[in-house]
Amino acid sequence: MKHASTSTRVFVYGTLLGGEPNHRLLRGARLIGPARTQPRFTLYDYGPFPALASRGKHAVEGEVYEVDALMLAALDRLESHPRFYRRTPITLDDVGRVEAYLFPKERLAGRPIIESGCWRRHLQERKPW
């Protein structure tokens, strides 16, 4: 008897994006496509990675992947869910309900806000020429 594996759709917006350092953890996942949140979030620069917080006013760009339970567990370990990031369901216009790793806003005081809502664009602008 074959077990039905549960799949979860996950919105990624930083180091898990295609071409970014942690994307290898998504090897084998199905790319649903590029996505953007509703303008209810804030993306912060946390140094080597971004942090997404709710109750903001920006739309954040990213990608949605469909992952299995093992891959979701690996992502939870990477993001130190629930101690560092908290995996939380959010709704995207085109994709519906997905999981996203959100950061507690109270731990982001003084961190720069990424106004564009796009980590890749921010990395390009941050590069010293």
Side-chain angles (χ1 to χ4, degrees):
M1 188 170 103
K2 200 174 154 191
H3 291 283
S5 70
T6 45
S7 65
T8 304
R9 289 183 170 192
V10 179
F11 175 73
V12 301
Y13 53 86
T15 66
L16 286 162
L17 290 166
E20 296 300 322
N22 288 318
H23 184 70
R24 60 184 161 56
L25 289 174
L26 289 168
R27 193 173 294 127
R30 186 165 78 93
L31 172 65
I32 303 300
R36 174 187 280 263
T37 69
Q38 293 168 340
R40 296 191 188 134
F41 296 89
T42 306
L43 193 62
Y44 291 84
D45 184 330
Y46 210 83
F49 51 87
L52 182 66
S54 56
R55 298 188 308 276
K57 60 185 190 317
H58 298 109
V60 175
E61 290 179 30
E63 297 165 348
V64 174
Y65 289 86
E66 197 166 87
V67 302
D68 63 18
L70 279 175
M71 205 172 277
L72 188 62
L75 296 177
D76 282 351
R77 281 193 299 277
L78 172 73
E79 307 294 12
S80 297
H81 165 72
R83 292 179 312 282
F84 197 64
Y85 283 90
R86 296 187 186 134
R87 183 162 42 86
T88 310
I90 66 169
T91 302
L92 302 177
D93 286 340
D94 299 338
V95 189
R97 225 100 164 118
V98 298
E99 295 288 310
Y101 291 93
L102 300 184
F103 207 82
K105 206 164 192 166
E106 63 273 11
R107 298 207 327 248
L108 290 165
R111 292 284 179 177
I113 291 174
I114 301 170
E115 297 286 342
S116 69
C118 178
W119 178 243
R120 284 187 176 132
R121 189 176 320 151
H122 180 68
L123 285 178
Q124 287 301 317
E125 291 165 357
R126 211 169 67 167
K127 272 186 184 169
W129 295 106

